């Protein structure tokens, strides 16, 4: 009888150890899954920010392209108006090329026009 109780106690102890191991493994897996979920959420946020930045950049580039087209169209219209006026009034040809003086540095130096 004593031997049977001893075997039952050993068996119960082994079962308890296995249950503890199993519970520990389950908890470890849950913790790992939680960490993976957090990492995936963080990666998703980074991907969203990256996509938004990419869209903003493309939008800005497209806007700049359109602005340059608009500027070229205005310049072309101005030149055509000048050419029409030149033909109508028999004026000399006009040079539309830049002479390098169209860069503004912010320092205009208007002192030469001061009254003397």
């Amino acid at each position: 009888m004593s031997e049977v109780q001893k075997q039952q106690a050993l068996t119960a102890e082994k079962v308890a150890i296995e249950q503890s191991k199993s519970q520990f493994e389950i908890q470890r897996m849950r913790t790992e899954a939680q960490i993976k979920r957090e990492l995936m959420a963080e990666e998703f946020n980074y991907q969203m920010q990256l996509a938004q930045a990419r869209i903003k950049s493309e939008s800005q580039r497209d806007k700049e392209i359109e602005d340059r087209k608009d500027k070229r169209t205005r310049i072309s219209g101005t030149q055509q108006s000048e050419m029409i006026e030149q033909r109508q009034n028999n004026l000399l040809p006009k040079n539309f090329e830049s002479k390098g003086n169209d860069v503004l540095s912010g320092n205009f130096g208007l002192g030469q026009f001061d009254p003397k």
Side-chain angles (χ1 to χ4, degrees), residues 74-88 96:
R74 279 193 302 274
I75 290 170
S76 175
T78 302
Q79 290 173 349
Q80 287 178 359
S81 295
E82 290 283 338
M83 289 168 52
I84 290 170
E85 181 182 344
Q86 174 190 347
R87 268 186 253 128
Q88 289 174 346
F96 292 104

Side-chain angles (χ1 to χ4, degrees), residues 107-113:
N107 184 10
F108 293 104
L110 298 176
Q112 66 184 356
F113 297 110

Side-chain angles (χ1 to χ4, degrees), residues 19-32:
Q19 285 178 341
S20 293
K21 285 181 182 179
S22 176
Q23 289 297 326
F24 177 76
E25 185 64 19
I26 289 170
Q27 185 60 36
R28 187 190 65 77
M29 291 172 70
R30 284 182 181 159
T31 303
E32 185 178 331

